[in-house]
């Protein structure tokens, strides 16, 4: 066993040296391209030679596809090489708004992100790169919706929240001159066992002669408004309610706040949702207790400002909430009491662009909490992209303040940015294959919590220009059995072969390639030849003394084994041992050993 690593090492050296020497590292030849289109998809360095007499005697069509440098070396004039390159173009590139504090602007006219729209023409393997610039606008409007748990234990909190409207207005004026505030409250699903459903308890769920209001799931009390006094008045009229179990139905409420934008009046500005509670939360699956199994549908069901489907749909799942909050650019601040910090910290980690603050038991610190959370939320910028089309990858590199660079996960993020700071992201998009025809694709990238985004329209380069200029039924292609294009034949249906000389009646096309595959290998003619009418025609080497042989071109007379009896410089007495080890590892056929040695 101790020898094993040594042999593995030798084997690897051999593999590296041999493949380099043998293949010249070219992915283009390996692709076995039958047409110019296939060739340019094989890699960014592949070109297709259209020169008619380019191929040497016996060379397969796929030899037209090679490394650009190799094609030139082999005598293909530059003009005859098909090598379309990718491109990019900015369609919409409005400069970032710079405005002074106090200067009023329609939020729809403020631009914080640039550019806004691009077109990428992508060639497989060739990335297109652009720089996205972001600068937080000064004095950007804020909408804040205060969602409060009104179960009985929040009684003292309600007292303090009653004056929140005007106080918060005063504080927020230091941050923005355009601030709006709204209010909603929640308790629990109105079914057993979450609440008591005896007629008396339905009217007043509280004991001890306390005056409580009927339990409800979610109530929108005040649409987003500039009027802080109205907030105080309306919240002052709110009454506490009661329920039986401890976790509350807050998720039902968050979902409605997120998706009922029209009713609640969210503008396309910074959207903050403050969720204040002194208890845990129910989520998807918990509805079963009350016999509710229908998954939350993520739609707005507000009638008369009440959520009317709490008894019908289960609580939303966390993932569902994340999706809806992000879709609606809502940033969440969990203002929760000390006891529940750990739970909500966990939740915060699952919800991007959310923050947790510790609410004092009577909510007296809520304003400072909101300001701190807002500052922490807005000092971090995280980019998120829509689902990528199949075969497309994206990478980010961030240039944050003071030239701090990040890649990987960090490449999507800049922290500790303040108003007026400009950050830049270098974003690369690479296609690795062509999509099915006719598919229009695009990617959208947006900073989480903002309503601005960049759209990248993707177009794929999958064919060569010369493919439009072919001669159908050309005599070059076996008496008119194919189209002569890009210097080679594209066979008509039913025909096959380099010059369309085979008929699929004679050789079934699917079987034809199978004839050229050794055992279970996926390589046609061991990658050393072309399959012509079901038979391997081996590639020729520049050195006429070096030849491939065997039914599948699987043998040769110039590979490692034979280099003056040395394996890539290893010593002779190791050869036999090496071969044994290697054969074990790679299921090498012994047929070669006998012919090549
Ligand atoms: C916003 O831009 C539009 C068109 O550019 C313009 O007509 C409108 O007056 C602008 N609104 C404000 C408030 O500046
Ligand atoms: C993007 O910005 C960085 C830093 O400013 C710069 O080094 C890089 O060349 C830019 N990339 C592009 C594609 O403009
Ligand atoms: C409950 O309401 C009634 C009538 O509105 C009032 O007389 C009573 O004092 C209230 N009780 C408490 C504890 O607030
Ligand atoms: C909020 O606005 C919507 C429509 O704009 C309205 O139907 C609803 O009654 C309003 N809610 C409150 C609490 O004022
Ligand atoms: C916000 O922007 C979205 C699209 O970006 C648009 O559909 C929606 O109508 C806008 N809402 C408001 C209130 O302007
Ligand atoms: C809130 O509670 C703290 C102690 O926890 C107390 O010092 C403060 O006065 C209370 N504030 C109000 C407005 O009741
Ligand atoms: C954030 O930036 C400020 C300067 O703008 C700097 O003083 C502070 O140390 C930075 N904080 C972190 C955590 O990097
Ligand atoms: C295709 O090739 C065959 C000979 O193999 C020839 O007889 C036939 O005419 C050709 N077909 C066409 C459409 O030219
Ligand atoms: C080829 O695959 C078949 C089924 O997967 C297997 O039974 C057979 O042993 C394989 N042959 C070789 C030579 O690996
Ligand atoms: C060749 O390898 C054998 C054992 O593998 C070793 O004994 C011998 O010294 C080596 N010869 C040279 C020239 O390195």
């Amino acid at each position: 066993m101790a020898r094993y690593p040594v042999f593995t090492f030798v084997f690897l050296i051999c593999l590296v040296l041999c493949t380099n020497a043998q293949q010249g590292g070219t992915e283009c030849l390996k692709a076995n391209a039958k047409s110019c289109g296939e060739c340019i998809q094989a890699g960014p360095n592949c070109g297709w030679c259209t020169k008619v007499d380019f191929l040497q005697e016996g060379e397969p069509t796929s030899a037209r596809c090679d490394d650009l440098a190799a094609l030139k070396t082999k005598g293909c004039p530059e003009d005859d090489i098909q090598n379309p390159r990718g491109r990019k173009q900015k369609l919409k590139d409005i400069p970032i708004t710079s405005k002074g504090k106090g200067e009023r602007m329609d939020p729809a006219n403020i631009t914080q992100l640039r550019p806004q729209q691009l077109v990428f023409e992508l060639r497989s393997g060739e990335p297109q790169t652009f720089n996205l610039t972001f600068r937080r606008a000064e004095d950007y409007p804020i909408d804040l919706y205060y969602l409060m748990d009104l179960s009985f234990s929040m009684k003292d909190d309600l007292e303090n929240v009653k004056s929140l409207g005007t106080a918060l207005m005063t504080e927020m004026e230091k941050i923005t001159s355009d601030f709006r505030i709204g209010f909603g409250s929640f308790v629990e699903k109105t079914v057993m066992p979450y609440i008591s459903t005896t007629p008396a308890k339905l009217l007043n769920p509280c004991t001890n002669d306390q005056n409580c209001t009927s339990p409800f799931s979610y109530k929108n009390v005040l649409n987003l408004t500039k009027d802080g006094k109205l907030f105080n008045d309306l919240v002052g009229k709110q009454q506490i309610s009661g329920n039986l179990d401890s976790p509350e139905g807050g998720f039902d409420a968050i979902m409605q706040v997120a998706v009922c934008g029209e009713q609640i009046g969210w503008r396309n500005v910074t959207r903050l949702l403050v969720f204040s509670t002194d208890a845990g939360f129910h989520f998807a699956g918990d509805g079963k207790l009350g016999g509710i199994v229908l998954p939350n549908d993520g739609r707005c069901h507000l009638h008369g400002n009440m959520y009317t489907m709490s008894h019908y749909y289960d609580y939303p799942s966390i993932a569902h909430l994340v999706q809806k909050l992000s879709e609606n650019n809502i940033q969440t601040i969990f203002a929760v009491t000390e006891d529940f910090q750990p739970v909500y910290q966990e939740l915060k980690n699952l919800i991007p662009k959310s923050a947790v603050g510790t609410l004092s038991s009577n909510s007296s610190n809520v304003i400072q909490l909101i300001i701190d959370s807002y500052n922490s939320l807005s000092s971090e910028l995280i980019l998120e992209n829509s689902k990528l089309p199949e075969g497309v990858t994206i990478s980010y590199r961030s240039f944050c303040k003071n030239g701090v660079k990040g890649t990987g996960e960090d490449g999507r993020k800049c922290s500790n940015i303040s108003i007026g700071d400009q950050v830049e992201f270098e974003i690369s998009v690479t296609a690795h294959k062509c999509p099915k025809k006719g598919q229009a694709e695009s990617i959208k990238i947006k900073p989480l919590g903002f309503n601005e985004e960049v759209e990248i329209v993707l177009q794929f380069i999958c064919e060569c220009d010369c493919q439009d200029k072919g001669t159908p039924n050309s005599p070059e292609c076996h008496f008119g059995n194919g189209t002569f294009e890009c210097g080679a034949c594209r066979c008509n249906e039913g025909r096959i072969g380099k010059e369309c000389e085979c008929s699929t009646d004679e050789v079934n096309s699917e079987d034809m390639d199978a004839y050229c595959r050794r055992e279970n290998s996926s390589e046609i003619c061991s990658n050393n030849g072309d399959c012509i009418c079901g038979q391997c025609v081996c590639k020729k080497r520049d050195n006429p003394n070096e030849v491939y042989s065997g039914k599948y071109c699987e043998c040769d007379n110039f590979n490692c084994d034979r280099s003056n009896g040395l394996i890539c410089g290893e010593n002779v007495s190791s050869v036999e041992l090496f071969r044994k080890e290697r054969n074990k590892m790679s299921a090498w056929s012994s047929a070669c050993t006998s012919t090549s040695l």
Side-chain angles (χ1 to χ4, degrees), residues 172-239:
M172 292 306 272
E173 263 163 24
K174 295 174 190 162
I175 297 177
T176 175
S177 57
D178 186 358
F179 178 68
R180 302 201 310 171
I181 191 169
F183 187 85
S185 57
F186 67 92
V187 182
E188 193 38 291
K189 283 193 185 299
T190 51
V191 292
M192 276 291 273
Y194 313 107
I195 62 156
S196 174
T197 50
T198 61
K201 287 279 185 199
L202 271 181
L203 277 177
N204 181 356
C206 305
T207 44
N208 313 332
D209 300 326
Q210 296 282 355
N211 288 336
C212 284
T213 185
S214 305
F216 56 90
S217 171
Y218 161 63
K219 181 160 63 175
N220 174 31
V221 177
L222 174 66
N223 287 336
L224 286 156
T225 171
K226 281 188 186 317
D227 191 345
K229 280 207 194 66
L230 186 59
F231 182 97
N232 293 4
D233 289 351
L234 279 172
V235 175
K237 287 189 192 136
Q238 296 307 301
Q239 267 185 318

Side-chain angles (χ1 to χ4, degrees), residues 473 478-481 492 495 500-501:
N473 302 329
H478 198 75
F479 315 111
N481 276 292
N492 293 342
R495 302 298 297 187
C500 313
E501 68 277 24

